[in-house]
Amino acid sequence: MTPRQNSLYWSEWSRVRSKCKQQGWPVPDRHELHVRALGHDMSHLDFSNEDLDRVLAEFRAITRPEDLVGQLRQQDQPRRRLEWSIRHLAPEPYWRAIARDKFGTEDLALLSVDQLLQLCITLTARARSRQRREAVAG
């Protein structure tokens, strides 16, 4: 977990506590919310990005129950994170060509999360290979 993610986690947890106190509700056990979101308890420091997304969605269901768009956006974070990575790993014409060759489309919205992950892995591997070649030639 990055320092920024850790800060976000604690900020959202603080909102849960404040909302519950304002409403006169009992403050839920933080780790019980982990269980509800993940199916088991674990330290937030051990969360993967997907775990954090699920727990934040659980927190926000308490603090912002009327914000369905925000909750859905939080659930879509794995896709959004992969799309961002793809766009920043390589120039657009390059990643579009690879996506078209690999999956028959260059439209990221049409790819599954697994396909986006495959594309991200391919771009990362090619970037590393290019860096190694340049280091040897340099």
Side-chain angles (χ1 to χ4, degrees), residues 35 37 60 62 72-73 78 88 91 94 97-98 104 113 119-120 122 125:
V35 172
R60 290 174 181 162
I62 294 169
L72 292 175
R73 186 175 52 245
H88 288 84
Y94 185 71
I98 293 172
V113 172
L119 180 56
C120 197
T122 298

Side-chain angles (χ1 to χ4, degrees), residues 6 15 21 29 34 36 73 76 96 109 113 120 122:
N6 190 42
R15 287 187 179 112
K21 287 178 181 179
D29 179 73
H34 293 183
R36 283 183 14 198
R73 186 175 52 245
D76 200 37
R96 284 189 180 275
V113 172
C120 197
T122 298

Side-chain angles (χ1 to χ4, degrees), residues 42-111:
M42 65 190 299
S43 168
H44 77 282
L45 296 174
D46 295 329
F47 285 175
S48 66
N49 288 333
E50 292 78 18
D51 294 337
L52 179 62
D53 293 336
R54 289 185 190 113
V55 171
L56 291 178
E58 189 69 33
F59 287 178
R60 290 174 181 162
I62 294 169
T63 60
R64 305 175 212 167
E66 69 287 343
D67 184 9
L68 183 59
V69 172
Q71 291 175 38
L72 292 175
R73 186 175 52 245
Q74 187 65 40
Q75 286 181 343
D76 200 37
Q77 273 304 107
R79 167 177 284 285
R80 294 171 56 133
R81 193 178 291 113
L82 286 167
E83 287 178 2
W84 185 93
S85 294
I86 288 164
R87 288 187 173 100
H88 288 84
L89 280 168
E92 185 172 343
Y94 185 71
W95 65 254
R96 284 189 180 275
I98 293 172
R100 188 174 45 253
D101 290 347
K102 233 175 143 68
F103 306 111
T105 183
E106 58 188 50
D107 185 353
L108 297 180
L110 298 177
L111 299 179

